[in-house]
DNA sequence: AACAAGCGTGACGGATTCGTCACGGTGACA
DNA sequence: TGTCACCGTGACGAATCCGTCACGCTTGTT
């Protein structure tokens, strides 16, 4: 369904990934030479890039910076691959804005899931500055929430959390997904922190807090329409 | 250039406004009856609504709430008119998300300026989640700024301030405009506060802080390209 | 009914953020 | 050159925000 560019010099890994992705319905393009990345990206216009940092010759980090520096390639989401234990300090300096990253060894399944998550996130969000869901209307531009027409002030995290939940109102968001989407992949906040923010959100929403539903054992979900609850 | 709906029962005022606006190249449509507002809006699809709160019969505030409650009309910016000294408590409860408001008496010129400001703000922003200006790339979605490809964390106010400045890089933003755009029309922060935030922004930007230029006696401006400064 | 795992909640400290003020510097203009 | 309005800056206190923890409740399972 989506065109994915894989930059990876170890051909067996590249093939494994490619195979797995095409089996899931994606179109995978592999290149092993770092120097070909920019031309390939411009020519192929992939929807997402999987970039191994450990490349012979050109440093993967340099490639990444170049991708971000060019207006044409900057918006393309990138998932970064690194060998385990490799250059943690580099990664630390990698606030650069990768959309996710994965340490080797990893299962192709895991990579596929990450790719799906990133694609879902990016596709839904781009070019929509307002989200309307029943009584809720999110105004990204002003970071405000309108509930039944009245404005509510949310903090940065609360807003991001609610936005993430509302973007896919049908979907159930796992705790891990929410932590990654709201706090970023490299953060390490406690799972209880998420609960606290969910609670604060519900508080601010008042009775409408019921639209945020707990899916026990999994995570949370935003429901536009409440099931008619029978009064006690 | 833009279609503007004016809801005002005093016909002389409505005419005055209408005349002035059409002279500036806008198309003004006047209605005096509150009940006609919703149908008129749906039929005419104005780009902006000027709404007098003091209407016979239906309360202007109710109209406003209805406009915001309906998905089709909620995104349309509204400028609210009130008589001086009128119902300050109502206005206080009016966090509702009007885009600006004006107390009578006001000059048509003033209204025109406000309308222009709102239109400029809204038009530029809608449907653009990323702004690229030279070395700067603003990522609204994640509230991040990329300078030469490296991410910088900004606070909410800093981000909004920079966004406002960057949206119109050619324009000079007056202090009043910035205060209104960033803090909202009903806030009353000191003008020195703006300076402080400008300073903090420049600090975070480092040498690139020079892109924020002071226009003495007026305000500030974002310049994508720096004039080649001759070394001392 | 008993248990364990998952979740909600209140409280707390630390960190960040924000607005304001006083003061000093700087440019414009006579 | 002197004056004045305007702007930059550092410091400070207050408010907010955020992450964590301990504890208790709920839910589902045996």
């Amino acid at each position: 369904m989506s065109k994915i560019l894989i930059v990876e010099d170890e051909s067996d890994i590249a093939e494994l990934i490619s195979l797995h992705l095409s089996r899931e319905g994606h179109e995978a393009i592999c290149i092993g030479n770092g120097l070909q990345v920019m031309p390939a990206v411009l020519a192929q216009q992939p929807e997402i890039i999987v970039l191994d940092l450990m490349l012979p010759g050109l440093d993967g980090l340099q490639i990444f910076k170049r991708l971000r520096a060019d207006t044409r390639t900057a918006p393309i989401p990138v998932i970064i691959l690194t060998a385990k234990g490799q250059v943690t300090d580099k990664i630390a300096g990698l606030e650069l804005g990768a959309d996710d990253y994965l340490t080797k060894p990893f299962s192709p399944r895991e990579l596929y899931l990450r790719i799906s998550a990133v694609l879902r996130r990016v596709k839904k969000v781009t070019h929509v500055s307002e989200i309307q869901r029943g009584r809720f209307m999110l105004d990204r531009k002003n970071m405000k929430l309108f509930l039944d027409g009245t404005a509510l002030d949310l903090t940065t995290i609360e807003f991001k959390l609610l936005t993430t939940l509302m973007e896919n109102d049908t979907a159930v968001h796992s705790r891990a997904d929410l932590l990654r989407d709201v706090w970023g992949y490299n953060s390490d906040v406690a799972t209880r922190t998420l609960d606290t923010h969910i609670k604060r959100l519900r508080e601010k929403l008042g009775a409408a807090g019921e639209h945020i539903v707990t899916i026990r054992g999994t995570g949370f979900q935003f429901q536009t329409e409440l099931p008619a609850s029978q009064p006690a």
Side-chain angles (χ1 to χ4, degrees), chain A residues 56-177:
Chain A
L58 198 46
D59 185 8
L61 208 58
Q62 292 306 319
I63 296 178
F64 181 67
K65 283 188 182 170
R66 268 183 223 176
L67 282 170
R68 284 299 192 236
D70 191 310
T71 317
R72 294 166 298 176
T73 58
I76 304 174
V78 175
I79 295 182
I80 285 187
L81 304 181
T82 56
K84 180 161 187 180
Q86 179 189 357
V87 285
T88 332
D89 41 4
K90 270 194 186 173
I91 299 296
L94 230 188
E95 280 299 295
L96 292 167
D99 293 76
D100 206 340
Y101 92 124
L102 219 56
T103 56
K104 296 182 190 175
F106 56 85
S107 72
R109 173 87 188 143
E110 175 69 8
L111 176 60
Y112 167 69
L113 288 177
R114 300 289 181 96
I115 288 176
S116 303
V118 170
L119 282 176
R120 174 162 43 84
R121 216 180 308 159
V122 173
K123 278 191 177 173
K124 282 279 170 179
V125 178
T126 314
H127 301 310
V128 179
S129 81
E130 278 153 352
I131 304 180
Q132 177 85 44
R133 292 286 137 83
R135 311 162 57 191
F136 294 70
M137 137 84 144
L138 269 178
D139 177 358
R140 300 193 131 77
K141 183 161 78 68
N142 299 311
M143 221 183 77
K144 283 211 164 181
L145 167 69
F146 294 95
L147 215 189
D148 301 327
T150 37
L152 278 178
D153 277 327
L154 301 181
T155 72
T156 310
I157 285 189
E158 283 160 7
F159 188 80
K160 213 165 175 181
L161 182 53
L162 185 58
T163 303
T164 306
L165 286 171
M166 281 179 63
E167 266 161 16
N168 268 348
D169 48 353
T170 59
V172 174
H173 300 260
S174 76
R175 301 179 87 85
D177 277 355

Side-chain angles (χ1 to χ4, degrees), chain A residues 20 40 45 63 69 136 149 153 156 194 197 208 226:
Chain A
H20 208 272
Q45 305 264 26
I63 296 178
F136 294 70
D153 277 327
T156 310
L194 173 58
H197 284 280
L226 291 182

